[in-house]
Amino acid sequence: MTRPGLARARVGVRGAQEEAGRAACSAHGLDTPDPGVDPAGWESNKGYNRAHLLGAQIGGSNKDPRNFVTMHAYANSPIMRRYEGQLRKAVDNGEVIEYSATPVYKGDSVIPEGVWLEAQGSDGFQFMPKGATTGTNRIYIPNEPRN
């Protein structure tokens, strides 16, 4: 199984989904679903989650294996989920965001050692790290278990 790479999307509320108040995602490279495939490196009962590169709450696929990487449960939720929630809130407030998630691999490993998230918003969106007083457009999520 190949390991997923860069995932990009323009995320905003539009069209029929705007009426329902749901995020719409125009994703690049994630158009052929193949349900039932676990992410590269996935093993049950090992403390891992199937982590979205483009989160479902911002319109990412729940079926395309190229949208998933194997991450430690804590790295995926609450850490990565926190930033997906920030994106979703900005989209719900009318902002359009150019978003990308890039897994970082070491050598031939199929499990990323982390994921870079990048976002540029039409109204100046920035990720706000926990405890920070200033935001950033680029943040690294290390794929580590909770200490």
Side-chain angles (χ1 to χ4, degrees):
M1 178 180 295
T2 60
R3 57 191 193 186
L6 170 70
R8 279 190 196 152
R10 172 176 286 217
V11 185
V13 178
R14 66 178 192 274
Q17 291 179 325
E18 182 176 7
E19 293 171 19
R22 294 191 300 264
C25 175
S26 172
H28 303 282
L30 296 176
D31 55 356
T32 309
D34 186 12
V37 178
D38 291 327
W42 171 255
E43 292 183 62
S44 297
N45 302 314
K46 299 286 184 179
Y48 291 120
N49 279 170
R50 295 170 181 92
H52 291 85
L53 292 173
L54 303 175
Q57 65 180 308
I58 56 170
S61 173
N62 274 324
K63 296 180 180 179
D64 192 327
R66 295 171 295 175
N67 192 36
F68 290 90
V69 292
T70 298
M71 290 188 76
H72 286 281
Y74 181 72
N76 185 43
S77 180
I79 304 300
M80 196 158 172
R81 184 174 299 230
R82 174 184 307 131
Y83 299 112
E84 292 168 345
Q86 291 174 15
L87 282 167
R88 177 59 195 253
K89 183 177 178 181
V91 168
D92 286 348
N93 288 327
E95 194 159 359
V96 176
I97 299 174
E98 296 288 338
Y99 172 70
S100 67
T102 307
V104 177
Y105 298 96
K106 186 174 183 178
D108 292 334
S109 177
V110 294
I111 297 177
E113 60 182 23
V115 176
W116 276 107
L117 305 180
E118 295 184 61
Q120 299 289 326
S122 60
D123 292 330
F125 173 83
Q126 292 190 316
F127 295 112
M128 187 59 71
K130 187 174 183 179
T133 57
T134 60
T136 181
N137 292 103
R138 189 168 193 241
I139 195 151
Y140 184 72
I141 311 293
N143 190 7
E144 299 172 347
R146 185 177 197 156
N147 294 334

